Amino acid sequence: MPYQQANIMQNERLAPTRGVERINLSRFRCYEIFSVSLDTRPVILTGPNGAGKTNLLESLSFLIPGRGLRRARLSEVKHQGSTNPWVISIQLRDEKEKVHIGTGLDPESPETERRLTKINGEKVKSQSVLTKWVSVLWLTPQMDRIFLEGSQGRRQFLDRLVYGFDPNHAQRLNRYEQVLKERNLLLRQGCYDPRWLAGLEEILVSEGIALTIARKEIVSQLSSILKSKEGSFPQAELSLEGTTETLLDGRSLLDIEEEMRQLLHASREQDRLTGRTSLGPHRSDLLVVHPEKNQPAALCSTGEQKALLISIVMASAHLLSVRTGTIPLLLLDEVVAHLDETRRSALFDELLKLKIQAWLTGTDVSLFEELQGGAQFLSLKEARLGSKT
């Protein structure tokens, strides 16, 4: 028996016991009504361009806080021509327990761009509760330029990784960003109560330090996994760069808090003129280096950048599969078409070893042939389900 086939059969016996068992979509993107039942093995979605493959992945990305893998306005997600809000209903299996999550644009106030979310039929106050049940990672073609563009995309990428390990990270980040906007507004107005501004800066200090510590912890854990891995994908060296990160090196929290207060106070006039706060974790950057070349990712070839990104995502998926109590999902949109045969086989092998429900899309079903028997195949055409194997 060929090695690859034997390896897949071995991993099939170790198929993941946690994942999506059913999806129901109403008025979501190209899907007016859609429903499919699944088991917890990896899912291969194939079909022509425009069939609805990425839209299906996007629906799964709404299982965590935020605006999904496209970062779309919630009003933009509804089915074209529909006047009713969109709804996603997903049944998850967590070991022997089943969890039902429903989310969609709030039907009572659709103009507010607010999501309504229910878990097991009970309405939740904050989306951050979702992170206690499920973790979702994704890789899309739009992320291919993550190393070439501004630091914001890399911060968002890192924060999504942190969500899976720290359920409170999303809530802290939302609070930090809200207070940041309020501080910037007060400074631009030029007339404010100094005590009020100091109170806002106190929140920025405490929440900013907590955010940075959480990010540094995940970067450290990912770095350990990446260094220990050998194979077809580069190991990737990760680090964080920013004012808060520098202050955290070898100093007490009390000293760090005091210096952050002083820095924010001293920067008020400059921040008033620029209209933005010049220091804090909202200015941090995730630095990635290709170790074999000792070269920043931004200077690597397109193929090398893609390999580095896959390496980081797979390391995070590995962490999720062994260190958290949440249901881990991995969404890989049009990834395999850009890999050579060696790296494609290495990716498939790693996915099966992870015992995680991965979702992969592609137009050419033959590229996934090695996963026959170890995954379930869905064929889509014009937002309708074709064959299922």
Side-chain angles (χ1 to χ4, degrees):
M1 179 182 297
Y3 169 78
Q4 182 66 36
Q5 184 65 26
N7 204 29
I8 286 177
M9 292 182 67
Q10 179 185 11
N11 280 286
E12 188 178 2
R13 292 195 295 270
L14 299 174
T17 56
R18 309 156 76 202
V20 175
E21 284 196 325
R22 187 166 186 83
I23 300 177
N24 296 304
L25 304 180
S26 297
R27 301 174 295 276
F28 183 86
R29 293 287 190 185
C30 63
Y31 296 100
E32 185 173 8
I33 295 292
F34 179 83
S35 181
V36 63
S37 296
L38 304 153
D39 57 50
T40 53
R41 291 177 299 163
V43 180
I44 311 302
L45 298 171
T46 60
N49 292 327
K53 304 184 297 297
T54 303
N55 290 342
L56 198 53
L57 295 192
E58 185 182 22
S59 71
L60 293 170
S61 70
F62 280 106
L63 286 172
I64 62 173
R67 296 190 296 170
L69 59 80
R70 286 191 174 107
R71 294 191 58 79
R73 289 175 55 86
L74 299 185
S75 57
E76 297 172 353
V77 175
K78 70 178 180 180
H79 183 70
Q80 188 175 7
S82 175
T83 57
N84 295 317
W86 56 270
V87 179
I88 300 168
S89 175
I90 297 179
Q91 182 174 290
L92 303 167
R93 174 176 289 278
D94 186 5
E95 302 297 345
K96 296 182 179 180
E97 183 181 3
K98 292 187 178 182
V99 181
H100 180 266
I101 295 177
T103 190
L105 189 62
D106 191 341
E108 296 182 1
S109 53
E111 72 284 349
T112 62
E113 288 283 324
R114 183 175 63 190
R115 262 212 280 163
L116 177 66
T117 300
K118 293 183 178 181
I119 298 178
N120 292 331
E122 296 293 327
K123 186 176 178 180
V124 298
K125 295 181 179 179
S126 171
Q127 291 181 39
S128 61
V129 178
L130 291 168
T131 59
K132 297 180 180 180
W133 292 96
V134 62
S135 303
V136 185
L137 302 173
W138 60 75
L139 191 53
T140 69
Q142 290 72 29
M143 295 169 63
D144 287 351
R145 294 183 57 81
I146 195 171
F147 300 125
L148 300 176
E149 297 178 344
S151 60
Q152 181 179 2
R154 291 186 289 277
R155 283 194 304 274
Q156 291 171 346
F157 171 66
L158 176 58
D159 284 328
R160 286 197 300 271
L161 300 185
V162 179
Y163 290 161
F165 304 94
D166 184 352
N168 298 317
H169 188 71
Q171 193 169 5
R172 284 196 300 263
L173 185 60
N174 287 337
R175 189 179 187 211
Y176 179 89
E177 291 178 344
Q178 290 170 1
V179 172
L180 189 68
K181 290 178 182 178
E182 191 169 350
R183 178 183 187 267
N184 291 340
L185 178 60
L186 286 178
L187 290 175
R188 284 196 300 270
Q189 291 174 342
C191 182
Y192 52 81
D193 183 342
R195 290 174 297 180
W196 186 2
L197 189 59
L200 294 177
E201 290 173 349
E202 189 66 31
I203 295 173
L204 292 180
V205 168
S206 59
E207 298 289 8
I209 291 174
L211 289 171
T212 304
I213 290 174
R215 288 172 176 172
K216 284 175 66 71
E217 177 63 22
I218 294 306
V219 167
S220 175
Q221 292 184 32
L222 290 176
S223 296
S224 296
I225 288 182
L226 288 164
K227 287 179 181 178
S228 67
K229 281 187 170 292
E230 294 183 359
S232 301
F233 293 94
Q235 294 176 316
E237 293 179 355
L238 310 181
S239 62
L240 279 172
E241 180 181 66
T243 304
T244 314
E245 287 79 5
T246 301
L247 292 175
L248 278 171
D249 288 340
R251 305 178 62 186
S252 71
L253 284 178
L254 289 176
D255 289 342
I256 297 166
E257 288 173 352
E258 181 58 32
E259 184 158 356
M260 285 291 292
R261 291 189 197 100
Q262 293 176 7
L263 289 170
L264 285 169
H265 185 277
S267 67
R268 287 178 183 177
E269 179 59 20
Q270 176 189 344
D271 294 347
R272 182 187 70 82
L273 294 173
T274 61
R276 62 182 185 179
T277 300
S278 56
L279 59 95
H282 63 287
R283 305 283 290 172
S284 301
D285 197 3
L286 174 66
L287 305 182
V288 179
V289 172
H290 192 306
E292 295 178 8
K293 294 192 168 186
N294 192 27
Q295 188 167 270
L299 300 180
C300 293
S301 70
T302 301
E304 289 168 337
Q305 290 177 11
K306 186 79 170 185
L308 286 166
L309 195 53
I310 292 175
S311 186
I312 296 169
V313 169
M314 294 305 294
S316 187
H318 176 83
L319 272 178
L320 285 174
S321 69
V322 298
R323 298 191 186 180
T324 74
T326 61
I327 300 169
L329 301 175
L330 178 58
L331 316 179
L332 301 177
D333 190 21
E334 295 289 351
V335 169
V336 300
H338 304 285
L339 301 179
D340 58 34
E341 186 176 353
T342 300
R343 280 183 170 163
R344 192 163 60 240
S345 294
L347 175 63
F348 292 160
D349 196 49
E350 183 68 17
L351 289 174
L352 292 171
K353 288 178 181 176
L354 280 175
K355 295 184 65 177
I356 187 172
Q357 193 185 54
W359 292 65
L360 298 90
T361 70
T363 56
D364 186 355
V365 69
S366 67
L367 294 177
F368 303 96
E369 186 176 354
E370 294 176 25
L371 287 173
Q372 290 287 350
Q376 52 200 318
F377 285 68
L378 304 181
S379 175
L380 291 172
K381 185 176 182 180
E382 296 181 351
R384 296 181 182 276
L385 187 65
S387 60
K388 176 184 174 185
T389 57

